[in-house]
Amino acid sequence: MISVSIAGIGGQGNVLAAKILAQAAKTKGWQVRTAETIGMAQRGGDVISHVRMGNNHEEVYAPLPAKGSVDVVIALEPGEGARALPYLKENGLLVVPQSGIAPSTADLKADPYNPAAVIDALAAQGVAVSVVDDQALCDALGTRKALNIMMLAHAINVVNADPRFEHNELRNAISMDELREAIVACVKEKFVTMNLTAVDLVLQSAKVYKI
Amino acid sequence: MSKTFLMGNEAFAHAALEAGVKVCAGYPGTPSSEVLETIAKAHAQGKAEGVHVEWSTNEKAALEMLAGAAYSGARTLFTCKQVGLNVASDALMSLNYVGVEGGTVLFVADDPGPISSQTEQDTRRFASFAKVPVFDPATPEQGCAMIKTAYDVSERYHTPVIVRPTTRVCHASTFIDIEDTTQAKPAKGFEKDSKWVIFPKRSFEAHGEINDRLPKIAADFSACEFNPIEVVSFGQDAEADSTASRDVPVQVSAQEPASDQVPTIGVVAGGISYAYVREALRIIEQLAREAHVALSAVKLMQVGTPYPFPAQRAEEFVQGLEAIMVFEELDHVLEDEFLKLAGQIHAPYTVHGKLTGETTARGENTTDDIAAQLIAFMQLPLSLEGRGMVAQTPIPARPPVLCAGCPHRGSFIAVKNALAAMGKKHEGVYCGDIGCYTLGNAKPLSTVDTCLCMGAGITIAQGITAVDPNRKAVAFVGDSTFFASGMTGVANAVYNGHDITLVVLDNATTAMTGSQPHPGTGVTLVGEHRKPLSIDAVLQALGVEKIIHANPLKAHDAIEAAREAIGFEGPSAVIYESPCTALIAPQAPVEFDEDACTHCTKCVSRLGCPALSWDRENRHPLIDTSLCTGCGLCAELCSDGALACPTQADSTDQSCPSSNAQEA
Ligand code: SF4
Ligand code: SF4
């Protein structure tokens, strides 16, 4: 069983990222279930999607994973990565972008949100966290709209390449080409090129990351 | 037939279409709204032949309309969330007595948690109260099969049937086979018959018919596929996951277990808890394997038809069991049934669950909780300790807030300012309602003092002034809620002379549930255009003598409107009109002029707009240009002209008249 969670804030496109993974799983002939947050939580709140894939042809019963059972957490925002941490397996991979989104608050005395400190704290407690220079990538693409796809591509790339994830269930389960195919099948036609370019940008810059 | 990635609710819509549903109606409510939207979409694409689908003004209107269609022989589908059934209950209670001709399925989505609801009520209880059969799916696939069976049950016994999934089933997605096109079953039309008229004498007879059919339905349920029983045995040194290898639930009667594998422990689950139990057993097996702990087999039963309870099937299940643990969300419906059964058949088993404090009493179940509860119940020397890390760093809280640019923010600020300007003795009570605008209760707006149920703000305000006539009670209601259940409250205020001010937040949509149209928009679910119902005309016709219109984003006018209406003696109304941000393209973001800023902090501390934050170092507001819609509200409220909206002409020279009066 492969479990992947995608954590972000309403509007960041975690549902689409989950759908793309589900599509890739289906092409493989695996059973797949996903879970999403819909409703009150969308109004600026945190949202998380889960994808569970029966890669050993086992039956997937529940759409939601248990604590400590997720192979890869893809965070679209560092604080949301920290929030989703309880789902991550002990040796699982957490990918986060560098930039954070400050929570909205009218409290003038609230401590400013420091995403870099969150990432440092996660690394310090031993989480295998891979940080993406999302600003550079999104600048290169000319939009932040494909951040979800970039983080997804990065996660698959790291888990496939980094020896630390040799026993990760997602390792080599989905290739970059399979990801590309799933993107083509899932996104609106006019956005296909943008999203495929996003994947290419991630791969080109991959060597600059500490993976 | 094609395999499509569908959310539970989308799949249920297709199942109903495939069952030949002809007339569909409901009222939006999370987690149920996507069902009718999916049907409307299929209809628009020409894939669902012969279907009528509508958002009705409220649930009661929907179910009554469907009753007429069902009397006429059409298969009908009603959809709502759990609290929506309260509104439709008047119709449902009698409809079961009258009976239906065409299959009638009520899709009622429950919301354990609750995640986006005001109660954790259990529709299974409602079903038994109304004496109506109910199905409770564990997965979207099973829900689809249940909907098709539900139509057959409904027509065979002339009874309405409820299918009640919960949020996690409604909003879970998977690949499902759907027909490319569907055709509604033809209906023969209404045929006159005395049975359609409910009279006490007829009700007495009908009650007998209901009492006769329920045991028959229970017997059908006992034999159906939705109450599977199986023995889950754990291979001692099996490499593979043995629970996983058994895809098809095995009936216990068809199986001859080895004598050391005859289970004495039973597990019962309903709804998604059944899926969690399967996952939890997998985790337990893995833990046991790692710890070299032997596991004895357990007997597992899903109850997919909680009412009428499939007692024969359950009796089969309890044979040889010493103890049963029951997993279900919301109420202890199944637990009660197994306790009752033990008494009826003098069985020696004990029942463990919510009533014994051994399972989760409220809120959602999870695989983790169920695994821990099963480990305790089975007295296994296993521990779930250490599963899942916890971040050693503070995580920013992200409570839901009104969107940047939301016009409701302007309305709340205007009423608050108007009341503040009227002096301390007019301290207002803000009676809120159900919708995005319930979020007005959050700081810094703090303009929702009460929230009960749809339309109740209007009537609660009347009760408050009945006790304290000097109190200014302001009732907020959204445009969709106004038509759904606000009008009778207004009539009551006029008729009984309650001096309240009604504030209609008209944003031209049903925003909270995802922008559905309603009578005031004039557009129907399938995109037909009708003459929009005018809230103003309705209020006038109901006898409201003071009605003022204002744009909530024009602070000056908005405050004046509120002041005038609140000052009026007798029922009065302000209609704030400005579209939801989901309906319009954002305008150029607001511009900040550092030199003009006096560092008063008002823009940030009073508005709570997510696009505005405070830069502590430089003591001025920061604008998140990716969120700002250029609504102009902050520019209107900045009396120093430091914020300016390029597209909102003359907004900078218009300071907020009472911005200094509001110190609350
Ligand atoms: S969805 Fe519309 S009504 Fe709801 S908070 Fe956002 S702008 Fe306001
Ligand atoms: S104009 Fe001001 S109040 Fe309106 S969205 Fe932008 S920052 Fe918020």
Side-chain angles (χ1 to χ4, degrees):
Chain A
M1 174 93 59
I2 303 172
S3 295
V4 177
S5 300
I6 303 147
I9 292 162
Q12 281 194 302
N14 56 346
V15 175
L16 177 62
K19 188 176 173 185
I20 289 170
L21 271 178
Q23 177 66 35
K26 183 211 170 204
T27 312
K28 292 270 190 180
W30 305 336
Q31 199 210 345
V32 56
R33 293 193 189 280
T34 74
E36 329 173 339
T37 338
I38 296 168
M40 258 298 194
Q42 276 179 319
R43 308 271 174 278
D46 45 279
V47 289
I48 186 161
S49 296
H50 304 282
V51 188
R52 306 191 70 223
M53 306 170 247
N55 60 319
N56 298 315
H57 297 281
E58 69 272 54
E59 193 176 345
V60 181
Y61 302 119
L64 294 164
K67 296 267 160 64
S69 76
V70 167
D71 302 286
V72 177
V73 170
I74 300 171
L76 305 179
E77 202 285 332
E80 295 315 309
R83 200 190 309 281
L85 191 63
Y87 288 109
L88 192 64
K89 267 186 192 162
E90 216 176 312
N91 301 313
L93 165 67
L94 169 67
V95 296
V96 294
Q98 243 164 26
S99 0
I101 298 174
S104 79
T105 173
D107 180 359
L108 307 178
K109 292 186 205 81
D111 274 330
Y113 170 46
N114 182 350
V118 170
I119 296 173
D120 290 346
L122 291 172
Q125 74 178 89
V127 179
V129 48
S130 173
V131 186
V132 175
D133 183 355
D134 56 309
Q135 198 54 51
L137 285 174
C138 293
D139 284 351
L141 189 65
T143 169
R144 286 194 72 80
K145 281 208 181 97
L147 178 70
N148 53 351
I149 306 300
M150 287 174 168
M151 297 306 295
L152 176 57
H154 177 75
I156 291 176
N157 191 37
V158 171
V159 91
N160 287 354
D162 188 329
R164 282 185 298 166
F165 303 106
E166 202 185 330
H167 299 294
N168 195 297
E169 286 278 323
L170 185 64
R171 189 175 179 90
N172 295 328
I174 295 170
S175 71
M176 273 303 150
D177 282 336
E178 286 164 339
L179 176 69
R180 287 192 183 93
E181 272 171 43
I183 290 172
V184 174
C186 292
V187 308
K188 286 202 187 102
E189 215 181 308
K190 60 177 173 181
F191 296 127
V192 167
T193 320
M194 174 187 81
N195 283 299
L196 291 181
T197 314
V199 173
D200 292 342
L201 284 168
V202 167
L203 295 183
Q204 282 160 24
S205 60
K207 53 189 172 303
V208 305
Y209 301 124
K210 294 177 285 179
I211 58 169
Chain B
M1 203 64 134
S2 52
K3 252 203 179 346
T4 314
F5 189 66
L6 294 176
M7 186 199 294
N9 280 348
E10 295 170 326
F12 301 145
H14 285 282
L17 287 173
E18 285 167 22
V21 71
K22 187 169 180 62
V23 187
C24 316
Y27 187 78
T30 312
S32 70
S33 314
E34 297 86 2
V35 177
L36 286 196
E37 286 170 342
T38 304
I39 290 177
K41 198 170 141 200
H43 174 83
Q45 293 169 340
K47 292 179 180 170
E49 296 261 336
V51 171
H52 170 88
V53 54
E54 68 173 46
W55 285 130
S56 303
T57 32
N58 69 15
E59 294 86 350
K60 184 173 188 286
L63 188 55
E64 291 158 352
M65 192 279 284
L66 292 174
Y71 295 169
S72 308
R75 285 200 160 182
T76 65
L77 176 70
F78 167 82
T79 77
C80 72
K81 68 183 296 178
Q82 86 284 46
V83 289
L85 189 58
N86 301 343
V87 178
S89 62
D90 202 5
L92 174 63
M93 298 305 288
S94 322
L95 182 60
N96 194 32
Y97 278 65
V98 171
V100 293
E101 188 61 33
T104 297
V105 171
L106 284 74
F107 176 91
V108 184
D110 278 356
D111 185 27
I115 300 172
S116 45
S117 303
Q118 56 271 44
T119 69
E120 275 204 292
Q121 68 190 65
D122 193 322
T123 298
R124 296 174 301 167
R125 288 266 192 244
F126 217 124
S128 65
F129 172 49
K131 296 192 162 190
V132 165
V134 61
F135 289 82
D136 182 15
T139 62
E141 300 92 311
Q142 194 182 43
C144 289
M146 285 177 170
I147 284 173
K148 291 176 183 172
T149 305
Y151 278 106
D152 294 338
V153 172
S154 175
E155 277 172 8
R156 190 172 326 128
Y157 295 100
H158 300 284
T159 175
V161 176
I162 296 174
V163 176
R164 81 105 204 194
T166 54
T167 308
R168 297 297 183 185
V169 178
C170 294
H171 289 169
S173 302
T174 191
F175 285 90
I176 292 184
D177 274 322
I178 54 168
E179 300 286 353
D180 300 325
T181 57
T182 57
Q183 176 72 49
K185 277 196 164 187
K188 59 182 180 348
F190 184 76
E191 282 171 9
K192 295 191 185 194
D193 190 313
S194 61
K195 72 181 176 186
W196 304 128
V197 183
I198 190 140
F199 269 125
K201 184 170 166 287
R202 169 68 201 133
S203 302
F204 181 72
E205 278 167 23
H207 196 178
E209 291 159 15
I210 294 170
N211 288 346
D212 285 345
R213 75 186 174 224
L214 284 171
K216 291 183 192 147
I217 298 172
D220 289 355
F221 282 172
S222 280
C224 84
E225 63 186 292
F226 303 123
N227 299 302
I229 298 172
E230 69 183 291
V231 173
V232 180
S233 43
F234 306 90
Q236 242 38 231
D237 30 31
E239 272 304 295
D241 183 353
S242 71
T243 56
S245 60
R246 189 175 290 125
D247 281 0
V248 184
V250 179
Q251 291 185 13
V252 78
S253 50
Q255 178 153 317
E256 286 293 334
S259 57
D260 61 326
Q261 288 284 20
V262 176
T264 55
I265 278 188
V267 178
V268 172
I272 193 144
S273 299
Y274 178 66
Y276 294 151
V277 166
R278 305 290 304 251
E279 299 282 357
L281 287 172
R282 227 179 227 173
I283 291 175
I284 290 171
E285 179 174 51
Q286 195 196 339
L287 288 173
R289 199 186 312 130
E290 285 162 12
H292 303 287
V293 169
L295 291 176
S296 22
V298 295
K299 219 183 201 182
L300 176 61
M301 177 176 185
Q302 180 200 2
V303 180
T305 62
Y307 183 85
F309 187 67
Q312 282 153 277
R313 187 75 168 153
E315 208 177 318
E316 232 175 84
F317 171 72
V318 299
Q319 291 311 314
L321 296 183
E322 289 164 11
I324 294 172
M325 183 165 255
V326 183
F327 293 100
E328 55 192 322
E329 289 173 322
L330 307 175
D331 276 358
H332 38 82
V333 173
L334 304 179
E335 193 175 348
D336 289 358
E337 292 291 355
F338 277 90
L339 281 168
K340 193 164 87 187
L341 183 69
Q344 279 167 339
I345 63 172
H346 302 287
Y349 64 82
T350 53
V351 180
H352 306 253
K354 291 175 190 273
L355 293 171
T356 57
E358 291 167 272
T359 62
T360 309
R362 60 191 161 141
E364 290 190 271
N365 281 338
T366 63
T367 297
D368 303 279
D369 290 345
I370 288 180
Q373 289 153 0
L374 278 174
I375 286 172
F377 173 59
M378 293 157 81
Q379 298 177 344
L380 298 170
L382 301 174
S383 162
L384 291 161
E385 215 58 6
R387 290 174 69 89
M389 297 170 270
V390 176
Q392 310 294 325
T393 174
I395 301 167
R398 296 187 192 274
V401 285
L402 292 171
C403 299
C406 176
H408 297 335
R409 187 172 285 110
S411 306
F412 286 130
I413 295 263
V415 173
K416 215 171 144 174
N417 274 309
L419 280 164
M422 292 168 90
K424 274 267 181 285
K425 74 174 172 52
H426 288 294
E427 196 213 355
V429 182
Y430 306 100
C431 300
D433 220 299
I434 312 274
C436 281
Y437 51 103
T438 316
L439 297 174
N441 80 321
K443 280 182 189 159
L445 295 173
S446 308
T447 39
V448 175
D449 295 324
T450 71
C451 179
L452 182 68
C453 60
M454 292 279 287
I458 299 171
T459 19
I460 285 177
Q462 299 169 32
I464 287 170
T465 56
V467 173
D468 188 352
N470 294 321
R471 209 73 190 265
K472 288 291 170 192
V474 181
F476 294 90
V477 69
D479 41 353
S480 185
T481 306
F482 176 81
F483 288 111
S485 45
M487 296 185 285
T488 44
V490 176
N492 195 63
V494 173
Y495 173 50
N496 289 303
H498 294 290
D499 182 10
I500 62 155
T501 298
L502 174 66
V503 174
V504 184
L505 306 169
D506 185 357
N507 63 357
T509 191
T510 317
M512 180 80 208
T513 44
S515 304
Q516 290 82 7
H518 61 71
T521 66
V523 182
T524 69
L525 173 56
V526 291
E528 299 152 334
H529 289 261
R530 309 235 185 286
K531 187 164 176 243
L533 268 72
S534 152
I535 295 175
D536 184 294
V538 171
L539 290 175
Q540 276 192 47
L542 288 172
V544 177
E545 283 167 10
K546 188 80 177 168
I547 304 166
I548 306 162
H549 292 249
N551 178 347
L553 297 173
K554 294 281 174 221
H556 185 88
D557 302 351
I559 294 167
E560 266 318 306
R563 193 158 27 192
E564 200 185 330
I566 294 168
F568 182 81
E569 220 160 283
S572 59
V574 184
I575 305 177
Y576 285 125
E577 291 155 317
S578 183
C580 168
T581 56
L583 303 182
I584 48 168
Q587 293 174 302
V590 72
E591 281 162 13
F592 175 60
D593 176 357
E594 205 170 337
D595 297 334
C597 179
T598 58
H599 319 288
C600 74
T601 74
K602 278 183 212 155
C603 54
V604 172
S605 63
R606 291 195 178 160
L607 276 178
C609 172
L612 286 177
S613 59
W614 191 248
D615 180 338
R616 283 209 294 191
E617 212 165 294
N618 300 308
R619 295 172 48 243
H620 66 64
L622 287 176
I623 297 147
D624 183 336
T625 51
S626 69
L627 288 178
C628 175
T629 65
C631 79
L633 187 63
C634 57
E636 293 258 322
L637 290 178
C638 175
S639 39
D640 304 304
L643 292 162
C645 259
T647 44
Q648 314 270 336
D650 77 318
S651 59
T652 45
D653 49 332
Q654 194 175 54
S655 67
C656 164
S658 47
S659 59
N660 296 324
Q662 192 232 315
E663 297 303 339

